[in-house]
Amino acid sequence: MVLISFEHRFILLKSIKTAGTSVEATFMKALAPNSPMGETSPEFFSDKLYCSERRTRGKLAEGFLLKPHCSLAEAREKFPIIRDFDVIVCIRNPYERFVSFFWWKLKKFPRWYRTLSKSPRLIQRISVNFFILFGPSPKYFPILELLSNPTSPPEVIRYENLGNDVARILERLGVENQTGVFQLKTGLNPSRKEDARGYLWKQSRKKAQDVLGWEFDTFGYLR
């Protein structure tokens, strides 16, 4: 769960490594243009603002209703009024999500990140594939199916068409966006010529399909 807009009656959901943070910031600024970034507004409820794990050291602050990245079902249970709200989801090619997830995790170890990001491409590729095969357990890699199980098909913001999709939805909502999409947490993944499907080994692609098969099938990404 990311953002609930009570005025415009929508729920914005994201899964990890789908540019959801950038989309969240863009929507927040468009919905409350006169509020400094990071401040709340009666227009919306954001789990990131109200119950950030970083601010509470892993514990939910007293009186807060939602945990970060809670499921749609949990949010609807706490806020029955949102049961009929539209659902917007941020999605990305699942293979690319796995590769980006590797570099995001490695960023927590700056020395290793700096060393590997400057290493030959073959070493990078081997490291990414070994991480996917033996690293992330499915329970640590949120599956969008569990986050977005609405009664009607969700409206989609694709990472691959980020700017246009965000602009289209804000226009439909009648909200003016003069800033474009905020570019937050970008540049973690070193550039490469091939797409992730060719970058990953056959066994790594199989792992990604096992974990995120629902996303491949639902959103039409090539397995």
Side-chain angles (χ1 to χ4, degrees):
M1 178 58 58
V2 179
L3 198 64
I4 302 171
S5 171
F6 297 105
E7 178 180 346
H8 297 280
R9 297 179 63 83
F10 73 81
I11 308 162
L12 175 67
L13 296 167
K14 72 174 182 178
S15 195
I16 61 172
K17 309 316 298 173
T18 58
T21 301
S22 297
V23 173
E24 177 189 25
T26 301
F27 271 72
M28 286 170 59
K29 192 61 177 177
L31 293 172
N34 297 321
S35 297
M37 287 298 296
E39 290 193 4
T40 61
S41 163
E43 152 67 11
F44 53 75
F45 179 99
S46 169
D47 67 344
K48 177 173 289 185
L49 291 177
Y50 283 89
C51 38
S52 167
E53 288 181 322
R54 286 191 294 269
R55 296 183 185 181
T56 59
R57 298 187 178 183
K59 298 180 180 179
L60 295 183
E62 183 178 357
F64 291 165
L65 298 175
L66 298 177
K67 64 182 180 181
H69 293 290
C70 77
S71 70
L72 180 59
E74 290 172 313
R76 283 173 168 166
E77 182 179 356
K78 294 291 186 180
F79 293 111
I81 193 175
I82 71 174
R83 291 185 182 276
D84 297 327
F85 283 18
D86 293 334
V87 176
I88 303 170
V89 297
C90 300
I91 66 172
R92 185 181 187 179
N93 184 303
Y95 293 139
E96 294 287 349
R97 284 184 63 196
F98 263 90
V99 175
S100 183
F101 183 64
F102 164 78
W103 291 106
W104 175 69
K105 293 289 285 186
L106 193 64
K107 189 70 174 180
K108 300 179 185 297
F109 305 94
R111 181 177 299 178
W112 294 2
Y113 175 85
R114 288 194 299 269
T115 299
L116 189 59
S117 63
K118 297 177 182 179
S119 299
R121 296 173 63 83
L122 178 60
I123 301 300
Q124 293 179 4
R125 184 180 182 187
I126 291 173
S127 300
V128 170
N129 278 276
F130 266 89
F131 172 79
I132 291 175
L133 286 173
F134 305 108
S137 167
K139 68 178 181 180
Y140 296 119
F141 204 94
I143 303 173
L144 197 56
E145 181 181 16
L146 302 179
L147 298 175
S148 58
N149 187 24
T151 54
S152 59
E155 193 160 12
V156 171
I157 296 176
R158 290 183 182 267
Y159 180 94
E160 298 81 7
N161 194 39
L162 188 63
N164 290 334
D165 285 346
V166 168
R168 168 179 52 81
I169 293 175
L170 288 176
E171 182 179 3
R172 179 181 65 77
L173 295 172
V175 177
E176 185 177 4
N177 177 27
Q178 299 179 344
T179 61
V181 179
F182 287 96
Q183 300 297 311
L184 304 177
K185 298 197 302 186
T186 59
L188 292 180
N189 189 355
S191 61
R192 61 181 189 279
K193 295 181 180 179
E194 62 274 72
D195 62 24
R197 187 173 186 273
Y199 189 74
L200 299 182
W201 300 336
K202 181 179 179 179
Q203 300 90 330
S204 303
R205 294 199 301 271
K206 178 63 166 54
K207 171 73 174 291
Q209 293 169 17
D210 291 342
V211 175
L212 299 175
W214 184 88
E215 294 186 25
F216 281 101
D217 297 335
T218 302
F219 300 115
Y221 286 109
L222 182 64
R223 286 179 176 264

